[in-house]
Amino acid sequence: MRVATVVGARPQFVKAAPVSRALRSRHTEILIHTGQHYDVRMSDVFFEELEIPAPDHHLGVGSGPHGRQTGEMLARIEEVLESQSFDFVLIYGDTNSTLAGALAGAKLHIPVAHVEAGLRSFNRRMPEEINRVVADHVSDLLFCPTQVAVDNLTAEGITRGVHLVGDVMLDTLRMQVKRGLPTQRLLASLDLQPQQYVLATIHRAENTDDPRRLASILAGLDALAEPVVLPLHPRTRAALDRHQLNPGNGHVKLVEPLSFAEMLAAEASARVIVTDSGGVQKEASWLRVPCVTVREETEWVETVESGWNVLVGTEERAIASAVRAAAAPVAAPPQDEASASERICSILEACVG
Ligand code: UD1
């Protein structure tokens, strides 16, 4: 079996690592990196740490407005797909790289397999929501992490090729925890004590691009008595400069983006996590750390239903009081014992016969 995997942004490296490992144990995978994320700390460190093989094709697309970025990816992915034969194009998640991979495969009549299919925020103002909907509707195989995702697809009339496989990010998390986390080194370097700080991540366009929302989130973090560590996504750093915001008043510690192992270590020892990321909401519940999500809705409704995550929006006082009140609920978070990556690999194999 020959699979073309398309990745480009940080969360995709995390998702692709275990599937790539399973695939390469018995098949050929050609890895296409669109270049959407290009900084060493947003891309290279993930390839090294997660032992992802070097990309076979690096398209070097980089940043840009949505149309140009996605269009350039589409044209360059198409060239690669036309140059060789493939049984599947494998895409992950909901970024512009996902959309470009989906369209390139579908137009060339190569079966498209979407990992993390069926997620919905029902907010079409998010670029990720448009990417998910389009990718799902042109995919032949839809690998859903949750039953809610399966139900979302059913509601849109997509029932063929749908497989509930579990979450590949849990495979990556387990792999990394087994290898060990750099907890002591990281906490010492940041001068933090376990359970006595808040970890925050903010990068969604809807939060960074609106100066009032970003200022309000930062004010909510500033209002806390305990230290807050905020690894800065490049989009957020650029937005802080653009909006002339400077949250570093002593409580909020701005740091460079963390590697995957460092991030898990920072998550696992935090008292509370504040985030607008999808993946971090899930990791928080898997690591049994209460999460406060600064969005109006979430695709990962199970984390909220189980009591490990609360949605608070972006209002300063709502954030501060939710973080102060956050505590572990009685119920265990949703878990899955089997390996989603192996299931995906087996289903792909069964489809090529
Ligand atoms: C993208 C995804 C988002 C995902 C996020 C994870 C889309 C529409 N969005 O958002 O779903 O949650 O990745 O990180 O695909 N930049 C750098 N260096 C980099 C990468 C980006 O400086 O290595 C800067 C550039 O100024 C760029 C900005 O960050 O303009 C935004 O980057 P982009 O890849 O367009 O979107 P993300 O915000 O990272």
Side-chain angles (χ1 to χ4, degrees):
M1 181 165 71
R2 287 176 56 81
V3 176
T5 295
V6 179
V7 294
R10 185 170 63 178
Q12 288 160 338
F13 311 141
V14 174
K15 289 165 198 167
V19 183
S20 175
R21 177 168 296 209
L23 274 175
R24 285 176 191 237
S25 68
R26 42 198 194 267
H27 301 286
T28 304
E29 182 193 45
I30 301 295
L31 192 59
I32 305 171
H33 187 325
T34 63
Q36 178 170 354
H37 286 176
Y38 43 85
D39 284 352
V40 170
R41 296 202 67 79
M42 295 296 287
S43 177
D44 301 19
V45 288
F46 289 82
F47 278 75
E48 280 160 31
E49 201 167 72
L50 297 169
E51 294 175 5
I52 307 169
D56 299 279
H57 301 271
H58 198 299
L59 308 182
V61 171
S63 305
H66 286 272
R68 192 171 75 212
Q69 186 185 48
T70 313
E72 283 180 11
M73 289 176 190
L74 177 55
R76 295 183 205 180
I77 295 169
E78 185 176 70
E79 274 172 30
V80 177
L81 296 183
E82 277 186 317
S83 70
Q84 307 164 44
S85 68
F86 292 106
D87 296 297
F88 292 103
V89 175
L90 194 54
I91 54 169
Y92 290 87
D94 57 15
T95 74
N96 289 345
S97 298
T98 314
L99 176 63
L103 291 175
K107 295 263 183 171
L108 292 172
H109 309 145
I110 306 169
V112 176
H114 185 197
V115 179
E116 214 173 76
L119 295 188
R120 297 290 182 269
S121 64
F122 302 102
N123 174 2
R124 292 268 172 119
R125 292 186 60 80
M126 291 175 70
E128 293 86 356
E129 183 77 351
I130 312 284
N131 294 342
R132 291 180 194 121
V133 170
V134 177
D136 284 342
H137 281 262
V138 299
S139 288
D140 300 273
L141 284 174
L142 299 104
F143 295 124
C144 297
T146 61
Q147 182 60 44
V148 171
V150 174
D151 296 343
N152 289 338
L153 292 177
T154 308
E156 291 175 23
I158 304 175
T159 52
R160 286 185 55 184
V162 176
H163 299 271
L164 176 57
V165 294
D167 203 315
V168 291
M169 282 189 68
L170 185 55
D171 294 351
T172 317
L173 181 144
R174 287 194 175 134
M175 192 169 79
Q176 193 61 57
V177 168
K178 205 186 275 179
R179 283 191 195 148
L181 301 180
T183 308
Q184 281 191 346
R185 176 175 60 73
L186 182 78
L187 295 194
S189 73
L190 296 173
D191 196 18
L192 296 171
Q193 299 298 321
Q195 307 304 319
Q196 292 178 25
Y197 67 93
V198 172
L199 172 69
T201 77
I202 307 296
H203 78 279
R204 291 273 172 202
E206 72 252 34
N207 284 339
T208 58
D209 294 1
D210 178 341
R212 274 168 312 171
R213 280 171 84 100
L214 186 57
S216 174
I217 295 169
L218 295 171
L221 297 175
D222 269 349
L224 300 170
E226 61 210 316
V228 178
V229 60
L230 176 60
L232 274 187
H233 187 288
R235 170 190 282 285
T236 315
R237 185 173 287 282
L240 291 179
D241 291 345
R242 200 167 58 246
H243 307 320
Q244 296 180 324
L245 294 167
N246 178 17
N249 79 340
H251 293 313
V252 180
K253 224 183 264 281
L254 303 181
V255 299
E256 290 295 306
L258 300 178
S259 76
F260 185 64
E262 289 168 341
M263 186 63 186
L264 286 187
E267 287 173 6
S269 292
R271 184 182 70 78
V272 183
I273 295 173
V274 178
T275 192
D276 61 4
S277 149
V280 174
Q281 293 173 54
K282 294 185 290 178
E283 286 164 356
S285 86
W286 291 328
L287 294 167
R288 304 192 175 215
V289 178
C291 186
V292 171
T293 296
V294 286
R295 288 178 51 196
E296 314 296 336
E297 68 280 309
T298 180
E299 302 78 23
W300 303 102
V301 289
E302 300 80 359
T303 59
V304 175
E305 284 161 3
S306 66
W308 286 85
N309 188 13
V310 304
L311 292 175
V312 295
T314 54
E315 204 271 314
E316 169 187 344
R317 273 163 306 177
I319 296 170
S321 64
V323 174
R324 287 191 196 106
V330 181
Q335 287 288 359
D336 178 5
E337 288 315 315
S339 157
S341 315
E342 279 299 334
R343 286 183 187 138
I344 288 169
C345 202
S346 305
I347 294 165
L348 292 173
E349 283 166 353
C351 289
V352 289

